[in-house]
Amino acid sequence: MTDTNYTVTAVIVTYNRLDLLKGSIKKVLSQDTSELKHLIIVNGASTDGTKEFLDTVSDDRIIVENLDQNLGGSGGFNWGIRQFFEQTADDFVWVMDDDSMPTQTALRKLLAMFDARPDAGWGASKVNWIDGEWARMNVPAPADGGKTAVYYGDENFVPIKHATFVSTIFKRSLIKTIGLPQKEYFIWGDDIEFTERAHRVATGYFVRDSIVIHASKTNPNPGDIVGETLEERLPRYMYEYRNRILTSRRRQSIFKLIKTIGHGVIDFIKTLFLPGVQYRGRKLKIIINGTINGFLFHPEIEKVNSHK
């Protein structure tokens, strides 16, 4: 495929992971296509020298946004996509965390999908972990349910209903319609809610031959509070349960809401009764409080206005 007339802004959100950020920047800027016109780096008030490093970066494509506080992943993506609208006129925004390492053809393959599927409004790459296996937290959900078509199939373009922010791309016009990621989520689940919002108005596709490596320390199953062994990660699960409830409420399906509540009940039972569960008492409180907070959580969706 030769270069098209498309223009793309990439957004990387980072917090205190300078070494990973350097690798991600290099991978994004090394794409084998000229459509990438801008890279917005949102630094959530890192304290590890990230700001000082970004002050030395001289590539004309890079726009640095140093925030005064850490707004979490969701706040960072909210900010970055807003800057895409306010500071560029590009056709697409391509979003990822600082531990996302796109292979050299990742962007080109995503853009090829839009040529092959004119109905597409967004798309998501195939995310592998560093050992070459699937990154378990980043498997998109097929639009017709289950994970079979994505996980076991060989079709290159599979319609999906949600994906994570690890090499996910959106048309500018779609962002105009659905608004920005929900910054109040802070961390975990903002990408699922946002891509489900996208799915309700435009077709999204999993792009099997667009490959990105998720260079996370471990490769856990999504939301596995029962098996969590790192104490410093426990507070994140409060957001997980709260955000899941709001996402389910927005699906406007009582069945799906009940299913989400049931998932929390199962986690509670496993945490309570399975042997060897670490931090059992804290985990039980997190499941209860996070679920209750999900029903009290009513943030509004922000819209954008393009001036370009």
Side-chain angles (χ1 to χ4, degrees), residues 27-270:
K27 294 290 187 181
V28 169
L29 295 180
S30 298
Q31 293 298 295
D32 69 344
T33 181
S34 64
E35 283 93 347
L36 183 73
K37 303 302 180 184
H38 300 94
L39 168 56
I40 298 173
I41 302 170
V42 182
N43 170 29
S46 296
T47 57
D48 64 346
T50 293
K51 181 180 184 301
E52 291 75 13
F53 165 73
L54 293 175
D55 287 343
T56 69
V57 174
S58 59
D59 193 296
D60 291 340
R61 293 171 290 180
I62 292 181
I63 300 170
V64 175
E65 295 288 317
N66 288 307
L67 304 184
D68 294 332
Q69 59 180 314
N70 177 23
L71 301 179
S74 57
F77 286 116
N78 174 290
W79 186 275
I81 294 176
R82 182 183 292 281
Q83 303 315 307
F84 155 71
F85 254 84
E86 294 181 352
Q87 298 194 47
T88 86
D90 292 338
D91 303 313
F92 296 92
V93 60
W94 180 34
V95 300
M96 66 200 77
D97 286 313
D98 53 11
D99 56 0
S100 302
M101 307 294 168
T103 58
Q104 194 172 27
T105 63
L107 177 58
R108 175 163 59 85
K109 298 294 188 179
L110 287 173
L111 295 175
M113 178 271 294
F114 289 101
D115 285 335
R117 298 290 186 271
D119 62 325
W122 60 286
S125 296
K126 182 180 188 293
V127 185
N128 290 336
W129 194 46
I130 52 180
D131 65 355
E133 297 297 320
W134 277 95
R136 297 189 191 103
M137 293 186 69
N138 309 114
V139 182
D144 59 358
K147 290 184 178 179
T148 302
V150 166
Y151 208 90
Y152 300 106
D154 56 8
E155 194 175 348
N156 196 38
F157 304 133
V158 180
I160 53 176
K161 62 184 177 183
H162 67 232
T164 60
F165 285 162
V166 180
S167 187
T168 312
I169 191 167
F170 304 89
K171 281 185 175 179
R172 186 183 192 92
S173 57
L174 178 59
I175 300 296
K176 177 73 172 177
T177 300
I178 67 175
L180 296 168
Q182 191 74 69
K183 67 178 184 292
E184 292 84 359
Y185 272 42
F186 191 74
I187 194 171
W188 285 7
D190 53 303
D191 42 13
I192 301 300
E193 188 279 331
F194 186 73
T195 51
E196 287 191 358
R197 212 190 307 162
H199 167 67
R200 287 192 279 271
V201 300
T203 304
Y205 288 94
F206 166 66
V207 183
R208 194 177 304 277
D209 63 357
S210 173
I211 308 294
V212 60
I213 307 302
H214 192 186
S216 55
K217 290 182 179 179
T218 59
N219 189 19
N221 291 315
D224 183 17
I225 192 173
V226 182
E228 182 61 71
T229 60
L230 300 177
E231 184 177 10
E232 64 269 20
R233 286 173 58 88
L234 291 181
R236 299 185 179 195
Y237 288 92
M238 182 71 73
Y239 299 112
E240 170 82 5
Y241 287 96
R242 182 197 67 178
N243 297 347
R244 276 184 188 171
I245 292 293
L246 178 56
T247 299
S248 292
R249 284 166 42 207
R250 286 185 172 164
R251 290 168 179 154
Q252 298 183 338
S253 167
I254 188 64
F255 171 77
K256 291 180 180 178
L257 178 58
I258 291 172
K259 184 177 179 180
T260 299
I261 296 170
H263 179 92
V265 170
I266 292 171
D267 283 350
F268 184 90
I269 293 171
K270 287 181 176 179

